[in-house]
Amino acid sequence: MKRLKAMLPLLLLLLAGGLLYASGTLDALRPSQLLAHQSEFRAQMAAHPWLCRSAYIGLLTLIVATGMPGNILVIMAGGFAFGIIHGTLWSSAGLTLGSLVLFLASRYAFGHGGRPPAAIARLRQGYERHPVSYTMFLRLVPVVPFGLVTACLAWLRCPLWLFLGTTWLGGTVMLVFECSIGAGLGQAVATHPGHGLQALLSAQVLWPTLGILALALIPLLIRRKRCPPPGR
């Protein structure tokens, strides 16, 4: 009973994420939908600028806090709506708040003892040796899902100051690229109206996409450097 009580906040977050995902709310933020309804989207932004910003931060906070997939769709929509700078700013607020909620719920659930989930048990050895560099690496490299990294750091008892600092810094690096994709999509549509999904192949969209792929290759390069092929 005590264990279930400790898990309750985390379970409620996961349940809320499942319900939100099942509701289909995120479907309206897919690139195809943004392109198809861009006039209505822009009109709502112009009529209710601060309400839209608050709703955006709240939605991203909820998605990140529940650990559900699809936050990149919301972040790209933020870049589409607000541009790179403001999109990154509002996204950073939602990402940091949502991560903090999930981190605290996970740390309360995992407590100080108990057997860790298999997915995060292997992180213990490296983390104990270099907590700062290990935490920064996990946040900067888009290999493990963001919510899973948050849960891992909570179980590893990462200090709150370190968690918030690396979440903000590492998250912002990724947000710049992801918001750039959304902003590039909006610029491509404005420059060549009527091209629809062809805008996804424009340079404004492809370059930040390649930047994300380059970040994803960092672990492979580090592993290759540390473990050279046999015969060298």
Side-chain angles (χ1 to χ4, degrees), residues 66-91:
T66 57
M68 65 174 290
N71 60 342
I72 189 172
L73 292 177
V74 182
I75 294 168
M76 286 172 56
F80 184 88
F82 308 117
I84 298 175
I85 296 177
H86 288 143
T88 301
L89 179 64
W90 308 134
S91 298

PDB file of all heavy atoms in Angstrom, residues 66-91:
ATOM      1  N   THR A  66       3.867  14.308 -18.528  1.00  0.00           N
ATOM      2  CA  THR A  66       3.308  12.951 -18.601  1.00  0.00           C
ATOM      3  C   THR A  66       4.243  11.987 -19.311  1.00  0.00           C
ATOM      4  O   THR A  66       3.989  10.782 -19.334  1.00  0.00           O
ATOM      5  CB  THR A  66       1.958  12.970 -19.339  1.00  0.00           C
ATOM      6  OG1 THR A  66       2.139  13.528 -20.649  1.00  0.00           O
ATOM      7  CG2 THR A  66       0.948  13.800 -18.580  1.00  0.00           C
ATOM      8  N   GLY A  67       5.317  12.492 -19.909  1.00  0.00           N
ATOM      9  CA  GLY A  67       6.277  11.630 -20.592  1.00  0.00           C
ATOM     10  C   GLY A  67       5.756  11.034 -21.878  1.00  0.00           C
ATOM     11  O   GLY A  67       6.353  10.103 -22.431  1.00  0.00           O
ATOM     12  N   MET A  68       4.658  11.560 -22.408  1.00  0.00           N
ATOM     13  CA  MET A  68       4.075  10.992 -23.613  1.00  0.00           C
ATOM     14  C   MET A  68       4.842  11.430 -24.851  1.00  0.00           C
ATOM     15  O   MET A  68       5.492  12.482 -24.862  1.00  0.00           O
ATOM     16  CB  MET A  68       2.606  11.414 -23.735  1.00  0.00           C
ATOM     17  CG  MET A  68       2.396  12.908 -23.929  1.00  0.00           C
ATOM     18  SD  MET A  68       0.673  13.337 -24.244  1.00  0.00           S
ATOM     19  CE  MET A  68       0.444  12.665 -25.887  1.00  0.00           C
ATOM     20  N   PRO A  69       4.819  10.625 -25.921  1.00  0.00           N
ATOM     21  CA  PRO A  69       5.482  11.030 -27.157  1.00  0.00           C
ATOM     22  C   PRO A  69       4.704  12.140 -27.848  1.00  0.00           C
ATOM     23  O   PRO A  69       3.520  12.351 -27.591  1.00  0.00           O
ATOM     24  CB  PRO A  69       5.455   9.748 -28.000  1.00  0.00           C
ATOM     25  CG  PRO A  69       4.265   8.992 -27.488  1.00  0.00           C
ATOM     26  CD  PRO A  69       4.198   9.303 -26.018  1.00  0.00           C
ATOM     27  N   GLY A  70       5.379  12.865 -28.724  1.00  0.00           N
ATOM     28  CA  GLY A  70       4.698  13.892 -29.510  1.00  0.00           C
ATOM     29  C   GLY A  70       5.063  15.304 -29.146  1.00  0.00           C
ATOM     30  O   GLY A  70       4.528  16.242 -29.738  1.00  0.00           O
ATOM     31  N   ASN A  71       5.981  15.486 -28.166  1.00  0.00           N
ATOM     32  CA  ASN A  71       6.320  16.863 -27.810  1.00  0.00           C
ATOM     33  C   ASN A  71       7.004  17.603 -28.956  1.00  0.00           C
ATOM     34  O   ASN A  71       6.907  18.815 -29.063  1.00  0.00           O
ATOM     35  CB  ASN A  71       7.190  16.902 -26.549  1.00  0.00           C
ATOM     36  CG  ASN A  71       8.494  16.148 -26.712  1.00  0.00           C
ATOM     37  OD1 ASN A  71       8.641  15.331 -27.611  1.00  0.00           O
ATOM     38  ND2 ASN A  71       9.433  16.404 -25.828  1.00  0.00           N
ATOM     39  N   ILE A  72       7.668  16.859 -29.867  1.00  0.00           N
ATOM     40  CA  ILE A  72       8.323  17.530 -30.985  1.00  0.00           C
ATOM     41  C   ILE A  72       7.300  18.172 -31.914  1.00  0.00           C
ATOM     42  O   ILE A  72       7.561  19.223 -32.517  1.00  0.00           O
ATOM     43  CB  ILE A  72       9.228  16.555 -31.768  1.00  0.00           C
ATOM     44  CG1 ILE A  72      10.066  17.321 -32.797  1.00  0.00           C
ATOM     45  CG2 ILE A  72       8.404  15.464 -32.430  1.00  0.00           C
ATOM     46  CD1 ILE A  72      11.106  16.489 -33.479  1.00  0.00           C
ATOM     47  N   LEU A  73       6.103  17.586 -32.016  1.00  0.00           N
ATOM     48  CA  LEU A  73       5.060  18.189 -32.840  1.00  0.00           C
ATOM     49  C   LEU A  73       4.629  19.534 -32.265  1.00  0.00           C
ATOM     50  O   LEU A  73       4.423  20.509 -33.000  1.00  0.00           O
ATOM     51  CB  LEU A  73       3.850  17.251 -32.935  1.00  0.00           C
ATOM     52  CG  LEU A  73       4.039  15.947 -33.709  1.00  0.00           C
ATOM     53  CD1 LEU A  73       2.771  15.116 -33.634  1.00  0.00           C
ATOM     54  CD2 LEU A  73       4.402  16.241 -35.158  1.00  0.00           C
ATOM     55  N   VAL A  74       4.495  19.584 -30.941  1.00  0.00           N
ATOM     56  CA  VAL A  74       4.104  20.835 -30.288  1.00  0.00           C
ATOM     57  C   VAL A  74       5.200  21.881 -30.444  1.00  0.00           C
ATOM     58  O   VAL A  74       4.927  23.053 -30.716  1.00  0.00           O
ATOM     59  CB  VAL A  74       3.807  20.583 -28.794  1.00  0.00           C
ATOM     60  CG1 VAL A  74       3.340  21.857 -28.111  1.00  0.00           C
ATOM     61  CG2 VAL A  74       2.755  19.494 -28.640  1.00  0.00           C
ATOM     62  N   ILE A  75       6.459  21.468 -30.289  1.00  0.00           N
ATOM     63  CA  ILE A  75       7.578  22.409 -30.389  1.00  0.00           C
ATOM     64  C   ILE A  75       7.700  22.950 -31.810  1.00  0.00           C
ATOM     65  O   ILE A  75       7.927  24.147 -32.021  1.00  0.00           O
ATOM     66  CB  ILE A  75       8.876  21.722 -29.940  1.00  0.00           C
ATOM     67  CG1 ILE A  75       8.799  21.391 -28.444  1.00  0.00           C
ATOM     68  CG2 ILE A  75      10.083  22.615 -30.216  1.00  0.00           C
ATOM     69  CD1 ILE A  75       9.888  20.462 -27.964  1.00  0.00           C
ATOM     70  N   MET A  76       7.526  22.085 -32.808  1.00  0.00           N
ATOM     71  CA  MET A  76       7.554  22.548 -34.193  1.00  0.00           C
ATOM     72  C   MET A  76       6.412  23.519 -34.465  1.00  0.00           C
ATOM     73  O   MET A  76       6.583  24.523 -35.168  1.00  0.00           O
ATOM     74  CB  MET A  76       7.484  21.356 -35.140  1.00  0.00           C
ATOM     75  CG  MET A  76       8.765  20.545 -35.220  1.00  0.00           C
ATOM     76  SD  MET A  76       8.572  19.013 -36.164  1.00  0.00           S
ATOM     77  CE  MET A  76       7.973  19.657 -37.727  1.00  0.00           C
ATOM     78  N   ALA A  77       5.241  23.231 -33.888  1.00  0.00           N
ATOM     79  CA  ALA A  77       4.110  24.158 -34.041  1.00  0.00           C
ATOM     80  C   ALA A  77       4.422  25.493 -33.378  1.00  0.00           C
ATOM     81  O   ALA A  77       4.015  26.551 -33.869  1.00  0.00           O
ATOM     82  CB  ALA A  77       2.848  23.544 -33.429  1.00  0.00           C
ATOM     83  N   GLY A  78       5.167  25.457 -32.255  1.00  0.00           N
ATOM     84  CA  GLY A  78       5.580  26.699 -31.605  1.00  0.00           C
ATOM     85  C   GLY A  78       6.503  27.512 -32.486  1.00  0.00           C
ATOM     86  O   GLY A  78       6.390  28.742 -32.559  1.00  0.00           O
ATOM     87  N   GLY A  79       7.444  26.842 -33.160  1.00  0.00           N
ATOM     88  CA  GLY A  79       8.308  27.551 -34.101  1.00  0.00           C
ATOM     89  C   GLY A  79       7.521  28.112 -35.264  1.00  0.00           C
ATOM     90  O   GLY A  79       7.777  29.225 -35.735  1.00  0.00           O
ATOM     91  N   PHE A  80       6.551  27.359 -35.755  1.00  0.00           N
ATOM     92  CA  PHE A  80       5.686  27.795 -36.846  1.00  0.00           C
ATOM     93  C   PHE A  80       4.898  29.039 -36.449  1.00  0.00           C
ATOM     94  O   PHE A  80       4.729  29.967 -37.238  1.00  0.00           O
ATOM     95  CB  PHE A  80       4.728  26.657 -37.208  1.00  0.00           C
ATOM     96  CG  PHE A  80       3.839  26.935 -38.384  1.00  0.00           C
ATOM     97  CD1 PHE A  80       4.259  26.634 -39.662  1.00  0.00           C
ATOM     98  CD2 PHE A  80       2.578  27.475 -38.206  1.00  0.00           C
ATOM     99  CE1 PHE A  80       3.437  26.881 -40.758  1.00  0.00           C
ATOM    100  CE2 PHE A  80       1.745  27.724 -39.278  1.00  0.00           C
ATOM    101  CZ  PHE A  80       2.179  27.421 -40.569  1.00  0.00           C
ATOM    102  N   ALA A  81       4.415  29.049 -35.201  1.00  0.00           N
ATOM    103  CA  ALA A  81       3.553  30.147 -34.747  1.00  0.00           C
ATOM    104  C   ALA A  81       4.332  31.365 -34.274  1.00  0.00           C
ATOM    105  O   ALA A  81       3.958  32.502 -34.588  1.00  0.00           O
ATOM    106  CB  ALA A  81       2.653  29.647 -33.612  1.00  0.00           C
ATOM    107  N   PHE A  82       5.412  31.155 -33.534  1.00  0.00           N
ATOM    108  CA  PHE A  82       6.091  32.267 -32.862  1.00  0.00           C
ATOM    109  C   PHE A  82       7.444  32.614 -33.452  1.00  0.00           C
ATOM    110  O   PHE A  82       8.049  33.616 -33.066  1.00  0.00           O
ATOM    111  CB  PHE A  82       6.280  31.931 -31.369  1.00  0.00           C
ATOM    112  CG  PHE A  82       5.026  31.497 -30.675  1.00  0.00           C
ATOM    113  CD1 PHE A  82       4.916  30.220 -30.129  1.00  0.00           C
ATOM    114  CD2 PHE A  82       3.934  32.345 -30.569  1.00  0.00           C
ATOM    115  CE1 PHE A  82       3.764  29.806 -29.486  1.00  0.00           C
ATOM    116  CE2 PHE A  82       2.776  31.946 -29.919  1.00  0.00           C
ATOM    117  CZ  PHE A  82       2.687  30.673 -29.381  1.00  0.00           C
ATOM    118  N   GLY A  83       7.970  31.791 -34.354  1.00  0.00           N
ATOM    119  CA  GLY A  83       9.313  32.027 -34.865  1.00  0.00           C
ATOM    120  C   GLY A  83      10.364  31.346 -34.002  1.00  0.00           C
ATOM    121  O   GLY A  83      10.058  30.773 -32.961  1.00  0.00           O
ATOM    122  N   ILE A  84      11.613  31.416 -34.439  1.00  0.00           N
ATOM    123  CA  ILE A  84      12.677  30.675 -33.759  1.00  0.00           C
ATOM    124  C   ILE A  84      12.915  31.195 -32.338  1.00  0.00           C
ATOM    125  O   ILE A  84      12.943  30.427 -31.378  1.00  0.00           O
ATOM    126  CB  ILE A  84      13.989  30.750 -34.563  1.00  0.00           C
ATOM    127  CG1 ILE A  84      13.800  30.104 -35.941  1.00  0.00           C
ATOM    128  CG2 ILE A  84      15.116  30.046 -33.809  1.00  0.00           C
ATOM    129  CD1 ILE A  84      15.008  30.230 -36.841  1.00  0.00           C
ATOM    130  N   ILE A  85      13.081  32.517 -32.201  1.00  0.00           N
ATOM    131  CA  ILE A  85      13.464  33.072 -30.893  1.00  0.00           C
ATOM    132  C   ILE A  85      12.341  32.909 -29.880  1.00  0.00           C
ATOM    133  O   ILE A  85      12.530  32.328 -28.796  1.00  0.00           O
ATOM    134  CB  ILE A  85      13.864  34.548 -31.037  1.00  0.00           C
ATOM    135  CG1 ILE A  85      15.113  34.670 -31.915  1.00  0.00           C
ATOM    136  CG2 ILE A  85      14.123  35.166 -29.658  1.00  0.00           C
ATOM    137  CD1 ILE A  85      15.551  36.092 -32.176  1.00  0.00           C
ATOM    138  N   HIS A  86      11.159  33.437 -30.196  1.00  0.00           N
ATOM    139  CA  HIS A  86      10.055  33.349 -29.246  1.00  0.00           C
ATOM    140  C   HIS A  86       9.563  31.914 -29.094  1.00  0.00           C
ATOM    141  O   HIS A  86       9.151  31.512 -27.997  1.00  0.00           O
ATOM    142  CB  HIS A  86       8.910  34.256 -29.680  1.00  0.00           C
ATOM    143  CG  HIS A  86       9.212  35.708 -29.496  1.00  0.00           C
ATOM    144  ND1 HIS A  86       8.792  36.672 -30.384  1.00  0.00           N
ATOM    145  CD2 HIS A  86       9.917  36.363 -28.547  1.00  0.00           C
ATOM    146  CE1 HIS A  86       9.205  37.864 -29.979  1.00  0.00           C
ATOM    147  NE2 HIS A  86       9.901  37.694 -28.869  1.00  0.00           N
ATOM    148  N   GLY A  87       9.606  31.130 -30.173  1.00  0.00           N
ATOM    149  CA  GLY A  87       9.221  29.729 -30.069  1.00  0.00           C
ATOM    150  C   GLY A  87      10.124  28.979 -29.108  1.00  0.00           C
ATOM    151  O   GLY A  87       9.662  28.188 -28.288  1.00  0.00           O
ATOM    152  N   THR A  88      11.428  29.242 -29.194  1.00  0.00           N
ATOM    153  CA  THR A  88      12.377  28.606 -28.268  1.00  0.00           C
ATOM    154  C   THR A  88      12.137  29.078 -26.841  1.00  0.00           C
ATOM    155  O   THR A  88      12.203  28.281 -25.891  1.00  0.00           O
ATOM    156  CB  THR A  88      13.824  28.934 -28.690  1.00  0.00           C
ATOM    157  OG1 THR A  88      14.052  28.458 -30.024  1.00  0.00           O
ATOM    158  CG2 THR A  88      14.821  28.277 -27.743  1.00  0.00           C
ATOM    159  N   LEU A  89      11.843  30.360 -26.667  1.00  0.00           N
ATOM    160  CA  LEU A  89      11.613  30.907 -25.326  1.00  0.00           C
ATOM    161  C   LEU A  89      10.405  30.262 -24.664  1.00  0.00           C
ATOM    162  O   LEU A  89      10.486  29.760 -23.526  1.00  0.00           O
ATOM    163  CB  LEU A  89      11.419  32.418 -25.422  1.00  0.00           C
ATOM    164  CG  LEU A  89      11.135  33.156 -24.114  1.00  0.00           C
ATOM    165  CD1 LEU A  89      12.320  33.033 -23.173  1.00  0.00           C
ATOM    166  CD2 LEU A  89      10.816  34.631 -24.375  1.00  0.00           C
ATOM    167  N   TRP A  90       9.262  30.243 -25.356  1.00  0.00           N
ATOM    168  CA  TRP A  90       8.049  29.666 -24.764  1.00  0.00           C
ATOM    169  C   TRP A  90       8.192  28.154 -24.607  1.00  0.00           C
ATOM    170  O   TRP A  90       7.718  27.577 -23.616  1.00  0.00           O
ATOM    171  CB  TRP A  90       6.815  29.984 -25.610  1.00  0.00           C
ATOM    172  CG  TRP A  90       6.632  31.426 -25.948  1.00  0.00           C
ATOM    173  CD1 TRP A  90       6.318  31.958 -27.176  1.00  0.00           C
ATOM    174  CD2 TRP A  90       6.737  32.561 -25.074  1.00  0.00           C
ATOM    175  NE1 TRP A  90       6.237  33.310 -27.118  1.00  0.00           N
ATOM    176  CE2 TRP A  90       6.494  33.721 -25.846  1.00  0.00           C
ATOM    177  CE3 TRP A  90       7.038  32.710 -23.720  1.00  0.00           C
ATOM    178  CZ2 TRP A  90       6.525  35.000 -25.304  1.00  0.00           C
ATOM    179  CZ3 TRP A  90       7.078  33.993 -23.175  1.00  0.00           C
ATOM    180  CH2 TRP A  90       6.819  35.111 -23.964  1.00  0.00           C
ATOM    181  N   SER A  91       8.854  27.511 -25.556  1.00  0.00           N
ATOM    182  CA  SER A  91       9.055  26.069 -25.463  1.00  0.00           C
ATOM    183  C   SER A  91       9.959  25.715 -24.284  1.00  0.00           C
ATOM    184  O   SER A  91       9.742  24.713 -23.596  1.00  0.00           O
ATOM    185  CB  SER A  91       9.665  25.520 -26.757  1.00  0.00           C
ATOM    186  OG  SER A  91       8.805  25.722 -27.854  1.00  0.00           O
TER     187      SER A  91
END
